[in-house]
């Protein structure tokens, strides 16, 4: 199994492997191009579609935007990601249709070893993040590795999501906790 395959398979992998690093360099170049664009620029669509293959034409990400690979991000129709999002997509990041992310949201799939001696090595494990359909993440939300947020849930601004959030909930805080159920 290659290091890249290990990365996508929830196994520890070597993040300074040449194939992994080339994928990161590719994404860095495309993200750098996006930094000087707006949604209305003629080149925006071709750059974002090269960075994130399969992004629906009805979905958009407001630059500036940062990601590790781009091809680990899967979006449904009508997704809107506001300014300055960071998506570290060593693990897959899936965002359901009609979901909105406020400015400065971070979706972070990598996790380093807990043992300090193991952390000295260039290794990490990436756990996927799944955000359901019709969700809303307020400004500055951080979603940690391995988290699933259910359909139609709202995460309050500035919250840090470290555990799964069920569907139809309002969750806030650090760590984010469900404060009430939402009407369907």
């Amino acid at each position: 199994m290659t290091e890249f395959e290990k990365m996508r398979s929830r196994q520890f992998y070597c993040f300074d492997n040449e194939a992994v690093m080339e994928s990161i360099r590719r994404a860095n170049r495309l993200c750098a191009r996006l930094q000087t664009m707006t949604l209305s620029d003629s080149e925006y669509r071709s750059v974002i579609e090269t960075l994130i293959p399969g992004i629906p034409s009805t979905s958009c990400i407001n630059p500036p935007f940062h990601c590790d690979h781009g091809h680990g991000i899967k979006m449904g129709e009508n997704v809107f990601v506001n300014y300055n999002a960071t998506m570290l997509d060593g693990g897959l990041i899936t965002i359901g249709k009609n979901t909105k992310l406020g400015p400065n949201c971070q979706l972070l799939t990598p996790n380093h070893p807990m043992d300090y001696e193991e952390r000295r090595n260039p290794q990490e494990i990436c756990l996927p993040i799944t955000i359901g359909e019709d969700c809303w993440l307020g400004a500055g939300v951080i979603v940690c590795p391995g988290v699933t947020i259910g359909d139609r849930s709202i995460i309050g601004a500035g919250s840090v999501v470290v555990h799964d959030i069920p569907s139809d909930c309002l969750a806030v805080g650090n760590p984010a906790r469900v404060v009430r159920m939402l009407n369907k």
Side-chain angles (χ1 to χ4, degrees):
M1 185 176 279
T2 68
E3 295 304 305
F4 206 90
E5 290 168 334
K6 289 178 189 175
M7 177 182 74
R8 292 295 161 103
S9 300
R10 304 178 196 185
Q11 297 179 42
F12 277 98
Y13 73 100
C14 179
F15 58 73
D16 69 358
N17 169 270
E18 184 53 35
V20 174
M21 291 306 299
E22 181 50 38
S23 178
I24 290 171
R25 286 189 292 269
R26 173 194 162 278
N28 286 343
R29 287 188 296 272
L30 291 165
C31 286
R33 287 185 63 199
L34 281 175
Q35 304 322 316
T36 60
M37 293 183 181
T38 67
L39 295 178
S40 60
D41 285 342
S42 61
E43 291 183 47
Y44 167 81
R45 201 72 219 170
S46 68
V47 173
I48 200 73
E49 288 175 359
T50 301
L51 179 62
I52 303 172
I55 184 173
S57 62
T58 59
S59 294
C60 65
I61 299 173
N62 259 326
F65 173 70
H66 308 279
C67 67
D68 278 344
H69 303 280
H71 48 77
I73 300 168
K74 309 298 178 206
M75 290 186 180
E77 296 283 338
N78 300 309
V79 170
F80 177 76
V81 178
N82 215 326
Y83 302 107
N84 211 34
T86 299
M87 297 185 192
L88 303 185
D89 60 317
L92 294 178
I93 294 174
T94 305
I95 302 172
K97 66 183 180 181
N98 303 311
T99 288
K100 308 215 176 333
L101 277 66
N104 300 304
C105 284
Q106 300 176 51
L107 310 181
L108 314 171
T109 69
N111 208 354
H112 297 281
M114 295 296 286
D115 181 86
Y116 73 94
E117 290 178 336
E118 290 179 22
R119 266 195 317 274
R120 293 176 182 167
N121 299 316
Q123 66 177 339
E124 64 188 11
I125 188 169
C126 293
L127 304 174
I129 290 173
T130 303
I131 300 172
E133 296 180 359
D134 296 294
C135 291
W136 173 25
L137 278 60
V141 167
I142 299 172
V143 181
C144 292
V147 166
T148 295
I149 297 172
D151 295 340
R152 299 170 301 280
S153 286
I154 299 171
I155 310 298
S159 296
V160 179
V161 187
V162 299
H163 299 292
D164 291 353
I165 302 295
S167 296
D168 301 303
C169 290
L170 171 62
V172 300
N174 181 4
R177 288 184 287 278
V178 173
V179 294
R180 72 179 171 102
M181 299 303 291
L182 300 172
N183 295 328
K184 293 182 188 177

